[in-house]
Amino acid sequence: TYYGPREKLRHGIINGGSDNYVECLECGKKLLKLTNSHLKIHNITFNEYKRKHNVKTVTSNRLIKWHRDRYYANTKLLELQFESKAEIQLQEYAKLINVPCIPHYRIGYNELDLYLPDNDLGIEFDGLYYHSEISAGRTEKYHLNKTNIVENAGDRLIHIFEDEWGKSPEIVKSMISDYCNIYTTIIQSQFCVISECTEELAENFLNDNHIFGHCKSDHYIILLTNSNIVEIIGISYDNTSNIHILDRYCTKLFTNVIGGLDLILIYAASVYNIEKLIHYVDRRYITKYIEDNFEFIENTPPIYHYLDRGNRYMTRHNKSEFTLEKILEKFPDADPNLSEWENMKLFGYDRIWDCGSKKYIKTFN
């Protein structure tokens, strides 16, 4: 077979050793990097491929090293890059847990604040002022598009909003460590006690250990070891759809409870006669167990939070606090003929968009 110069070069690299290629486990072809166009031949996505074959990376070791060396060799580029205090803190944390990281990593025309090549994980720190709609022009699909680009390349992307890092840095660190399989405590679920708890107890645990804090549920089921909560779920029943909702799933910081969620869900299904369980996962963050054990249904559109420009963009406010009806109550000068967003702009508010959610379902026999 005739090969052009580029094909000859590619084959020469591949034949240079096992670090120079990855093998497609669907067809056996050797590639420098498994691409989206190649996986389309097999009618499978990157995430489906990784779960099916239990692999973490789709890039050859040679190509990962080449990108890393190329970046660090470009000292001129490094000198020009601006790094916020939070980005530097994230880099320091990655070094603390001995995870290789590349700052300002480029994927096509997009740049990631931090990339962990050994874990196929990108991290974006989103300052509220610089990622909002009015001040920075970051409209509805800005964060979503970057997430899609990274996921289509076979990696995952975390978006950390500025106020989350400011209020809950340890929770964010724990989530990063979880994706890198690094824990300070590992517990076997068979040594735990399963129980239910009050909303007050659940609220305290969730506020200390979950990035979104407490949410109201019909039932809270917990795992305890030495009388301490190590894992919790909140479940509610939706009367309109006659289906159960998994409102919250949370593990204690830097802790891995092996088989914990399986145990809780089996208990919940038997006690509350659950046939189907729906769970919505924020696309900005990662829940590996849900991806591996629930069936993906669909992606939901991005939603927004409001930002008070007069308060220096310090805190996000849930849009549910500012429906048109509530705006008319809070602001006497509000115009009922204008939309919610038009009124909010008049009263000095900006907004920031997220990446939407992933909808999953688990069916019990």
Side-chain angles (χ1 to χ4, degrees):
T1 304
Y2 171 76
Y3 295 109
R6 292 185 67 183
E7 282 294 290
K8 285 184 177 179
L9 177 62
R10 188 177 70 84
H11 279 275
I13 293 172
I14 287 174
N15 292 331
S18 59
D19 280 347
N20 294 0
Y21 66 85
V22 289
E23 183 176 337
C24 175
L25 299 176
E26 292 287 319
C27 64
K29 185 174 181 179
K30 295 178 180 179
L31 303 158
L32 299 177
K33 178 177 180 177
L34 205 58
T35 61
N36 190 47
S37 58
H38 179 80
L39 289 182
K40 283 182 179 178
I41 298 173
H42 305 299
N43 194 28
I44 190 172
T45 66
F46 273 110
N47 288 334
E48 290 169 346
Y49 177 88
K50 286 183 175 182
R51 287 196 295 269
K52 179 179 178 180
H53 299 290
N54 193 27
V55 295
K56 289 186 176 181
T57 183
V58 292
T59 304
S60 66
N61 292 332
R62 174 191 175 276
L63 196 56
I64 292 173
K65 184 178 183 300
W66 181 82
H67 278 295
R68 190 181 301 162
D69 292 346
R70 186 184 182 197
Y71 174 81
Y72 284 114
N74 193 346
T75 54
K76 184 178 180 180
L77 176 64
L78 284 170
E79 291 170 359
L80 295 174
Q81 295 290 358
F82 169 77
E83 292 181 332
S84 66
K85 181 180 178 180
E87 290 174 37
I88 295 172
Q89 290 172 338
L90 287 167
Q91 293 175 29
E92 291 173 348
Y93 180 67
K95 293 175 183 176
L96 179 66
I97 59 176
N98 295 317
V99 173
C101 65
I102 305 174
H104 308 292
Y105 183 80
R106 297 195 68 84
I107 295 182
Y109 294 103
N110 293 270
E111 181 183 283
L112 305 180
D113 293 331
L114 199 65
Y115 180 63
L116 312 183
D118 289 359
N119 300 282
D120 300 328
L121 179 65
I123 300 175
E124 278 282 281
F125 179 80
D126 296 338
L128 298 182
Y129 177 84
Y130 294 103
H131 287 260
S132 57
E133 185 166 337
I134 294 176
S135 66
R138 308 306 194 197
T139 52
E140 179 179 358
K141 293 188 177 180
Y142 175 79
H143 297 110
L144 174 62
N145 287 340
K146 184 170 279 192
T147 295
N148 285 333
I149 288 168
V150 173
E151 288 185 357
N152 289 337
D155 299 318
R156 294 305 310 271
L157 180 61
I158 291 176
H159 286 271
I160 304 169
F161 284 150
E162 181 180 3
D163 58 336
E164 293 171 332
W165 180 253
K167 294 177 182 177
S168 309
E170 292 304 305
I171 295 179
V172 175
K173 291 177 183 178
S174 178
M175 297 174 77
I176 294 172
S177 295
D178 178 61
Y179 195 79
C180 298
N181 292 315
I182 296 174
Y183 307 98
T184 56
T185 305
I186 298 177
I187 301 169
Q188 296 287 343
S189 61
Q190 60 262 38
F191 300 116
C192 297
V193 176
I194 192 166
S195 178
E196 298 190 37
C197 72
T198 63
E199 184 176 354
E200 182 182 2
L201 195 60
E203 181 176 356
N204 293 332
F205 182 83
L206 288 169
N207 286 338
D208 290 339
N209 295 277
H210 197 285
I211 191 67
F212 301 130
H214 168 66
C215 79
K216 189 171 181 61
S217 298
D218 295 338
H219 308 281
Y220 300 97
I221 305 171
I222 58 176
L223 285 183
L224 300 120
T225 179
N226 298 325
S227 300
N228 295 315
I229 300 176
V230 292
E231 200 156 58
I232 187 172
I233 66 168
I235 290 181
S236 298
Y237 183 72
D238 185 358
N239 292 314
T240 57
S241 60
N242 296 321
I243 204 165
H244 287 84
I245 309 293
L246 177 60
D247 300 312
R248 279 288 186 269
Y249 159 49
C250 178
T251 305
K252 188 176 179 181
L253 298 186
F254 306 104
T255 301
N256 180 20
V257 184
I258 299 174
L261 188 55
D262 288 324
L263 183 62
I264 293 178
L265 291 179
I266 291 170
Y267 172 88
S270 62
V271 172
Y272 300 112
N273 298 317
I274 299 175
E275 296 181 358
K276 293 183 178 180
L277 187 65
I278 295 291
H279 186 45
Y280 291 88
V281 181
D282 192 306
R283 289 187 70 178
R284 294 188 300 114
Y285 288 108
I286 294 167
T287 308
K288 292 188 294 181
Y289 178 91
I290 301 298
E291 287 185 331
D292 294 338
N293 294 277
F294 280 57
E295 178 187 353
F296 172 73
I297 301 297
E298 62 179 351
N299 292 317
T300 65
I303 60 173
Y304 54 86
H305 282 72
Y306 281 114
L307 302 164
D308 187 350
R309 285 184 282 172
N311 195 29
R312 299 175 59 192
Y313 288 79
M314 297 302 293
T315 306
R316 289 173 301 134
H317 302 278
N318 195 298
K319 68 174 186 176
S320 63
E321 301 174 26
F322 296 96
T323 61
L324 186 56
E325 182 181 349
K326 292 180 179 179
I327 291 172
L328 295 173
E329 293 176 0
K330 292 180 180 181
F331 305 106
D333 297 331
D335 188 342
N337 297 315
L338 296 178
S339 68
E340 169 201 314
W341 174 225
E342 289 169 333
N343 270 295
M344 292 300 287
K345 286 190 287 185
L346 290 176
F347 292 110
Y349 283 81
D350 201 342
R351 62 183 178 181
I352 187 169
W353 292 85
D354 66 8
C355 304
S357 298
K358 287 180 177 288
K359 181 181 179 181
Y360 291 91
I361 188 169
K362 186 173 181 65
T363 304
F364 297 89
N365 295 324

